Amino acid sequence: MSLAQSAVIAGVYEHPTRWAPEKTAYQIHAESARGALADAGLTIKDVDGYLTAGVSPLGVMTLAEHLDLNPRYLDSTQIGGSSFVAHVSHAAAAIAAGLCEVALITYGSRASSERFAVGTGGQSPNDPPDQFEAPYGPTLIGAYAMCAQRHMHEFGTTAEQLAEIAVTTRRHAALNPVAKFRDPITVDDVLASRVVSSPLHLLDCCIITDGGGAVVVTSAERGRDLKKRPVRILGAAEALCHTSSGVRDLTAMAAKQSGPRAMAMAGVAHSDIDMCMLYDSFTITVLATLENLGFCRKGEGGAFVQNGRIGLGGALPINTDGGGLSSNHPGMRGIFLVIEAVKQLRGECGPRQVNNCRIALCHGTGGMLGLRHSGATLVLASA
Amino acid sequence: MAEAKSAKPLPRVDEESKGFWEACRRHELYLQRCRDCGRFRYYPRALCPQCLSDRTDWVLSSGRGSVYTYTVTYQNQAPGFRESLPYVLAYVELDQGVRLLTNIVGCAPEQVSIGMPVQVVFDDLTPEIALPKFQPAEG
Ligand SMILES: [Zn+2]
């Protein structure tokens, strides 16, 4: 039986908190687990598979203890912010293989209240390549900025086109009551914000928040009579991109590999996809992801994002929750891509609902675009 | 180990990279080329990632190349870097075809552009470690 026929997403929960100094990260995990299980109509005792990342290298064990879980399937895949997108397909594969039946994925972080410098901290010289990188002062933003600079040079992409992505995302955030930043911004506002790492301005960068979320994946059979209509997992794929011994094209992303694979597994074409949730660490991440997933040709991303195409009511609405650019970004945003896509497919998004939303694509990017990064793509469909 | 001249992280030299860093200390930039498949690679490592051969030549680079891409960093909260803002982080493409992450020095950040010819210079951080950086090429 294929992965697509075997497993479904039965429940999701996005923690509404953006600032939680009075909570621990573990508490955010636990509250998110409670929310997603309640959404599915399941209890913690039903859980026999557990997946998480981002707490610590052995966080899956300490969190399982915190939740008093005794899972028969465990996964702590850590590939950066895309991890939780990958966890959905890992959970589905485990369920298809009979390794577990109800898999819980949780995420929680206090990046904001712990004043964690997500994008502008230093790099620690631990792994072998770091000795050739860390002494030069790369920041997370700097790595993405070098990709943006190259994209502008090769294709004539403009700062205004990048800004359009931030403006559209903010417009969506205004429709999400829990989004951190909801006041409208203009292209001029983005261009007038200070340059953090050229050519990226402050408003080209994701925000930093506390927060978390959870997703419950179960077998198609078990999903049939739960509380909510299950969301089907049609296709999934992962990929990595790195500097390829010093010859990588900095405008190429892992999405170029994972996107077509996931869509082929799903048996869908670009025109079938009603909305996308794309990792928006920076505006360039979105623009390059659209190109690498094949929604437009390479170099045409700048024109693609203009004229309302990626906004609600446009041909391809993206990041309807307000994304990492305006709603929330506790450091690893992948789980929110899945949560918002599921809500859209269930028609639960109120004023930000995409009309007749049947098929959604999630793409997570983890790590650093200009150095090493991962890509994880999911194609989801309403039941 | 001698005292570093700033709080910036030093390269953690290992068995696979020490040939590279020993050459840098002499202000020479050496690249690895696989003796079996002929490919240059960067960063240095014991086996060729194309064919996994361990037969490697160290080839002296002219140290000349051009800026493949860059960014002027205005914010980095890490010790050592926050004192040197703004600075230019860049990929330089060497004449041998490999690209390396580096800093562009010896000119104002706003003078840097993609395609600009550059040449290697060495920043002596400690008696053991000289870090290859690049400055605008003359002529
Ligand atoms: Zn070789």
Side-chain angles (χ1 to χ4, degrees):
Chain A
M1 201 191 292
S2 77
L3 180 148
Q5 294 162 319
S6 306
V8 296
I9 298 177
V12 295
Y13 181 77
E14 180 185 336
H15 205 289
T17 301
R18 301 295 184 259
W19 174 248
E22 77 290 356
K23 294 181 194 287
T24 71
Y26 279 35
Q27 184 178 355
I28 297 172
H29 277 265
E31 289 174 356
S32 298
R34 182 176 64 191
L37 288 164
D39 187 50
L42 290 164
T43 75
I44 192 78
K45 297 299 169 207
D46 294 311
V47 173
D48 63 354
Y50 183 53
L51 307 89
T52 192
V55 175
S56 66
L58 295 179
V60 72
M61 296 206 295
T62 50
L63 271 161
E65 177 176 32
H66 200 74
L67 295 165
D68 200 20
L69 293 172
N70 280 292
R72 55 191 181 107
Y73 178 76
L74 281 166
D75 185 326
S76 57
T77 296
Q78 167 59 291
I79 52 172
S82 61
S83 299
F84 306 92
V85 181
H87 290 168
V88 173
S89 60
H90 295 189
I95 289 162
L99 300 177
C100 64
E101 194 185 22
V102 175
L104 171 68
I105 305 165
T106 68
Y107 171 54
S109 155
R110 300 199 315 157
S112 185
S113 54
E114 287 176 15
R115 307 236 173 257
F116 175 44
V118 179
T120 56
Q123 195 183 350
S124 55
N126 291 327
D127 292 331
D130 296 336
Q131 64 185 299
F132 304 98
E133 295 169 358
Y136 298 106
T139 60
L140 182 83
I141 296 178
Y144 284 78
M146 288 192 295
C147 297
Q149 191 78 265
R150 184 71 200 179
H151 204 282
M152 289 173 158
H153 172 79
E154 274 189 51
F155 307 114
T157 307
T158 65
E160 286 80 1
Q161 289 170 330
L162 288 174
E164 190 67 39
I165 296 165
V167 170
T168 304
T169 310
R170 181 63 64 88
R171 205 176 295 135
H172 295 166
L175 303 172
N176 178 3
V178 295
K180 180 167 178 179
F181 292 110
R182 305 184 62 206
D183 292 337
I185 53 170
T186 65
V187 167
D188 285 343
D189 290 334
V190 179
L191 300 188
S193 65
R194 69 186 165 84
V195 177
V196 179
S197 197
S198 70
L200 297 180
H201 302 79
L202 183 66
L203 292 179
D204 284 303
C205 304
C206 62
I207 60 174
I208 301 175
T209 64
D210 297 340
V215 173
V216 178
V217 183
T218 191
S219 64
E221 198 183 333
R222 186 86 181 259
R224 261 194 279 276
D225 44 36
L226 292 176
K227 201 165 134 195
K228 294 273 180 76
R229 261 188 320 148
V231 161
R232 294 180 294 148
I233 301 163
L234 297 188
E238 290 157 37
L240 281 177
C241 223
H242 47 71
T243 46
S244 300
S245 312
V247 292
R248 187 163 84 77
D249 171 1
L250 257 68
T251 62
M253 293 178 74
K256 193 176 178 179
Q257 304 166 60
S258 67
R261 284 182 206 146
M263 288 176 63
M265 185 191 287
V268 300
H270 290 94
S271 57
D272 296 325
I273 292 166
D274 298 311
M275 66 93 61
C276 284
M277 289 302 298
L278 307 179
Y279 205 98
D280 59 345
S281 42
F282 303 96
T283 51
I284 183 62
T285 322
V286 173
L287 191 143
T289 301
L290 286 164
E291 292 180 357
N292 281 275
L293 288 175
F295 284 100
C296 59
R297 280 205 293 259
K298 199 162 158 181
E300 293 178 354
F304 187 88
V305 300
Q306 292 186 304
N307 302 315
R309 190 189 264 111
I310 59 169
L312 278 163
L316 186 70
I318 65 159
N319 300 351
T320 49
D321 63 334
L325 291 168
S326 284
S327 178
N328 69 345
H329 200 307
M332 296 169 68
R333 191 165 200 277
I335 204 159
F336 307 117
L337 308 179
V338 178
I339 293 168
E340 176 73 2
V342 165
K343 288 181 181 170
Q344 285 285 353
L345 292 167
R346 298 195 309 206
E348 297 173 347
C349 288
R352 64 176 198 274
Q353 180 63 45
V354 173
N355 287 333
N356 199 22
C357 186
R358 306 294 306 278
I359 298 179
L361 182 146
C362 304
H363 181 81
T365 299
M368 298 198 200
L369 197 57
L371 301 169
R372 287 164 289 288
H373 74 269
S374 66
T377 311
L378 272 181
V379 181
L380 305 176
S382 53
Chain B
M1 186 70 91
E3 195 74 5
K5 75 178 177 185
S6 87
K8 290 175 186 171
L10 287 169
R12 199 160 77 181
V13 180
D14 57 33
E15 283 304 309
E16 293 187 90
S17 67
K18 69 179 182 187
F20 177 84
W21 293 113
E22 280 170 4
C24 285
R25 190 172 56 185
R26 304 190 303 268
H27 288 197
E28 292 170 339
L29 185 65
Y30 270 84
L31 294 176
Q32 288 179 317
R33 185 174 58 197
C34 175
R35 209 179 288 172
D36 284 309
C37 76
R39 301 228 196 179
F40 279 99
R41 63 180 181 262
Y42 185 85
Y43 62 93
R45 65 206 81 173
L47 304 193
C48 167
Q50 292 293 330
C51 70
L52 295 184
S53 167
D54 58 7
R55 297 179 355 110
T56 302
D57 288 323
W58 285 94
V59 179
L60 180 63
S61 165
S62 64
R64 295 176 74 88
S66 62
V67 174
Y68 173 72
T69 189
Y70 72 99
T71 180
V72 185
T73 303
Y74 293 96
Q75 188 180 346
N76 183 344
Q77 296 164 44
F81 294 108
R82 64 180 170 231
E83 296 84 8
S84 22
L85 297 167
Y87 60 88
V88 180
L89 180 72
Y91 273 108
V92 161
E93 181 165 301
L94 291 171
D95 292 348
Q96 288 84 3
V98 296
R99 297 175 194 145
L100 41 79
L101 190 71
T102 187
N103 296 132
I104 306 296
V105 296
C107 67
E110 56 270 22
Q111 288 177 293
V112 176
S113 62
I114 290 177
M116 184 173 91
V118 290
Q119 64 186 44
V120 73
V121 289
F122 289 88
D123 186 357
D124 295 308
L125 299 179
T126 70
E128 290 83 25
I129 295 292
L131 198 60
K133 297 182 176 178
F134 288 80
Q135 68 180 24
E138 290 150 22

